[in-house]
Amino acid sequence: MATEREQQLMRRALELAANGPTRGVNPQVGCVIVSPDGTVLGEGWHRGAGSAHAEVDALSHVGSDAACGATAIVTLEPCNHTGRTGPCVDALLDAGIARVVYAVDDPGTVSSGGGARLAANGVSVESGVLREQAEAFLGDWLTTARSGRPLVMLKWASSLDGRTAAADGSSKWITGDQARADVHRLRTRSDAIAVGTGTVLADNPSLTARTATGELYEDQPVPVVFGIRDLPVDALLRQHPHPHVRLDGRDLESDLRTLRERGIRSLFVEGGPTLASAFVRAGLVDEFVVYLAPAVLGGDHLALTDLGVGNIAEAHRLSLIDVARVGDDVRLTLRPKGRN
């Protein structure tokens, strides 16, 4: 059983992990190397795809002989495969690490098994230390790793009666400046932003994340367009810092797997009601972000179209995670029941 000191150092490893990037397919991982008497010898964290993993980074700060007989405290099971870097298991064995304590099992079919391999080579291994805290920390990454697709956040802005445009189709602007600025900040947190071809043809969006003064944020989401219609040669998204990705949208689950294979961990869906409804019908929305403006419009321009709900028992039930006032508008954050 993990000692109180090991639990304390696991909390430190989680703090270190938070230094890593939140975007991309790699997890945030932290590691602490500690001597048999409890002295911290080295600390490290993973800085992103292609860089040293947390265990290797921590070992790099330890003398060549000092790691022999030491303990590695790491937030995620050491990987057991060769990707852009070698297996962390090999690095730990080569360093002479005697004990490995980790929080969460690696869910990857290729990268998992590190704990068993370490144990088979005589290393004392303990898993599940502060598992709940670590799983909460790795929540989004674990969701994508276990499902094999990006985390999907669906956003729309509407009037109180659920309309996204007036009777004549005009929709600029339903919400206020602060709400729109808030959306742009959310865009920067996602690897990609998605719309359908209908939105591109109707609104000609740039699909960039911009400050209140119109400047581009440093972190830009990759633009993704679902649909088969041709895009105009002068579409603004063609000026995006990243080349746009085209997917036909006929099989959203397959499309999402394709995106994850391209290194996209999170997708911010801002398309119109057709695309939004397709994601909801398919049960592929992990989080809803809805901005409600203090206005009523009436009419036919609803945020969502037919969802195949025939009676109240078939309703898509959501859990309310957060409510925030953003200027004169309200932002609701919700997740499907059972996913929070």
Side-chain angles (χ1 to χ4, degrees):
M1 183 174 179
T3 66
E4 183 176 338
R5 174 62 170 161
E6 288 173 338
Q7 293 182 42
Q8 177 189 24
L9 291 173
M10 183 64 77
R11 294 186 184 92
R12 173 58 182 163
L14 285 168
E15 291 176 357
L16 294 167
N19 292 317
T22 58
R23 294 170 62 171
V25 296
N26 291 68
Q28 293 175 289
V29 183
C31 178
V32 179
I33 308 295
V34 59
S35 68
D37 66 2
T39 301
V40 173
L41 302 174
E43 298 181 335
W45 66 88
H46 183 47
R47 290 165 171 79
S51 66
H53 286 195
E55 298 93 321
V56 175
D57 185 38
L59 286 169
S60 71
H61 301 291
V62 181
S64 57
D65 297 327
C68 187
T71 294
I73 312 289
V74 61
T75 55
L76 183 68
E77 179 183 16
C79 69
N80 191 35
H81 81 299
T82 299
R84 295 189 186 182
T85 59
C88 292
V89 168
D90 287 354
L92 294 169
L93 291 173
D94 291 344
I97 292 293
R99 177 168 167 77
V100 172
V101 177
Y102 68 88
V104 179
D105 292 333
D106 189 326
T109 55
V110 176
S111 55
S112 62
R117 185 166 164 232
L118 287 166
N121 281 273
V123 177
S124 170
V125 177
E126 182 166 353
S127 63
V129 177
L130 300 190
R131 177 185 286 116
E132 289 186 5
Q133 293 95 314
E135 288 201 344
F137 173 79
L138 288 169
D140 290 353
W141 179 81
L142 283 174
T143 297
T144 65
R146 290 166 177 168
S147 66
R149 63 168 179 81
L151 184 85
V152 175
M153 179 186 294
L154 172 62
K155 167 264 171 184
W156 72 76
S158 71
S159 60
L160 287 178
D161 54 343
R163 268 64 183 184
T164 59
D168 64 355
S170 59
S171 60
K172 293 184 178 182
W173 295 101
I174 289 178
T175 53
D177 292 343
Q178 292 183 49
R180 295 196 296 276
D182 194 57
V183 170
H184 281 271
R185 284 191 291 271
L186 287 180
R187 289 180 179 183
T188 67
R189 299 176 188 173
S190 295
D191 292 329
I193 178 173
V195 296
T197 51
T199 295
V200 176
L201 295 172
D203 299 337
N204 194 22
S206 66
L207 301 186
T208 54
R210 304 180 299 278
T211 67
T213 58
E215 298 176 358
L216 296 182
Y217 281 105
E218 181 178 355
D219 291 326
Q220 289 293 321
V222 174
V224 178
V225 180
F226 288 90
I228 59 174
R229 286 182 285 179
D230 292 334
L231 303 181
V233 294
D234 59 349
L236 288 177
L237 65 84
R238 297 187 187 276
Q239 302 174 25
H240 196 284
H242 299 297
H244 69 277
V245 177
R246 287 298 307 270
L247 298 165
D248 63 29
R250 292 188 176 98
D251 184 339
L252 289 178
E253 289 196 56
S254 177
D255 289 341
L256 290 177
R257 287 193 294 271
T258 296
L259 289 175
R260 193 171 193 283
E261 290 169 1
R262 298 182 68 147
I264 291 173
R265 187 205 300 185
S266 53
L267 182 68
F268 193 60
V269 178
E270 281 204 64
T274 300
L275 183 64
S277 300
F279 271 95
V280 176
R281 280 196 305 272
L284 294 173
V285 180
D286 299 293
E287 188 164 286
F288 293 76
V289 179
V290 180
Y291 293 85
L292 295 178
V296 290
L297 294 173
D300 300 326
H301 295 281
L302 293 168
L304 297 174
T305 61
D306 179 33
L307 298 179
V309 175
N311 56 65
I312 196 67
E314 297 173 349
H316 295 258
R317 297 291 181 180
L318 309 176
S319 296
L320 183 62
I321 305 303
D322 183 61
V323 180
R325 179 169 180 167
V326 187
D328 289 332
D329 306 304
V330 175
R331 184 189 66 217
L332 305 178
T333 303
L334 312 103
R335 293 177 189 151
K337 287 281 190 180
R339 293 196 198 175
N340 53 309

